[in-house]
């Protein structure tokens, strides 16, 4: 899928996942985010996630959603940094769900290096009831067994 279509899908929702590294081990966190079309902004509080982001700013961000005929997924590899831009923070606040603040929020911006979007179309395997089981394909199907007509 094109970069433009990927950004359009990212802007169309606000719940994604940020992946980062802690002590050379992968971690992933769900985050509410805002996107203006060429970057992703999310808010967090002081804690492990923020410490991990400041020690290694290389991150991956993923968002996906089901559609009527499948699912789409967009993955962004980029750099994270604490955002001090007040106008972007205000735009993010107005588009994100309200939370009860327990600590001051820190806004983090993900600037992309690469973006890749993909469609996963649902395709139904069509088979006849009298089709021979070649290579165990019928037994590996995720579809429930079908009833014979008249039974």
């Amino acid at each position: 899928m094109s970069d433009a279509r990927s950004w359009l899908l990212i802007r169309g929702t606000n719940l994604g996942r940020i992946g980062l590294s802690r002590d050379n081990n992968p971690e992933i966190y769900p985050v509410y985010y805002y996107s203006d079309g060429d970057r992703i902004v999310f808010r967090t509080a002081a804690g492990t996630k923020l410490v991990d982001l400041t020690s290694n700013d290389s991150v991956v961000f993923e968002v996906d959603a089901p559609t009527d005929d499948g699912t789409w997924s967009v993955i962004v590899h980029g750099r994270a940094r604490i955002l001090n831009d007040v106008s972007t923070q205000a735009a993010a606040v107005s588009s994100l769900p309200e939370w009860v603040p327990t600590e001051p929020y820190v806004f983090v911006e993900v600037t992309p290096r690469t973006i890749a979007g993909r469609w996963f179309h649902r395709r139904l395997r069509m088979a006849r009831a009298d089709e021979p089981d070649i290579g165990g394909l019928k037994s590996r199907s995720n579809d429930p067994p079908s009833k014979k007509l008249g039974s």
Side-chain angles (χ1 to χ4, degrees):
M1 129 180 11
S2 72
D3 290 1
R5 179 70 175 151
S6 294
W7 280 113
L8 184 66
L9 292 169
I10 287 173
R11 286 192 310 268
T13 186
N14 67 358
L15 179 61
R17 286 165 288 286
I18 188 81
L20 46 93
S21 180
R22 177 187 310 144
D23 298 327
N24 210 27
N25 290 302
E27 295 290 336
I28 192 162
Y29 300 95
V31 293
Y32 284 106
Y33 70 92
Y34 160 79
S35 177
D36 59 9
D38 62 357
R39 61 187 171 164
I40 297 155
V41 175
F42 68 93
R43 62 184 172 200
T44 188
T48 305
K49 187 182 340 167
L50 192 58
V51 169
D52 293 342
L53 287 170
T54 57
S55 66
N56 181 358
D57 67 352
S58 184
V59 298
V60 62
F61 178 82
E62 193 268 345
V63 61
D64 54 35
T67 66
D68 289 341
D69 64 345
T71 301
W72 59 265
S73 176
V74 177
I75 296 176
V76 175
H77 289 91
R79 298 267 180 221
R81 70 176 182 93
I82 294 174
L83 180 67
N84 295 315
D85 175 3
V86 176
S87 63
T88 302
Q89 289 178 6
V93 166
S94 68
S95 69
L96 296 174
E98 289 188 31
W99 294 344
V100 177
T102 57
E103 298 182 48
Y105 290 122
V106 176
F107 289 84
V108 177
E109 174 186 63
V110 176
T111 304
R113 285 191 319 257
T114 64
I115 183 169
R118 198 166 168 199
W119 289 100
F120 300 95
H121 292 282
R122 185 175 302 126
R123 291 193 176 101
L124 298 178
R125 182 179 180 277
M126 303 304 283
R128 298 186 327 247
D130 64 344
E131 180 181 352
D133 185 10
I134 300 172
L137 291 177
K138 283 186 180 181
S139 63
R140 288 187 285 205
S141 170
N142 292 329
D143 299 332
S146 59
K147 290 185 173 182
K148 288 186 179 180
L149 293 177
S151 59

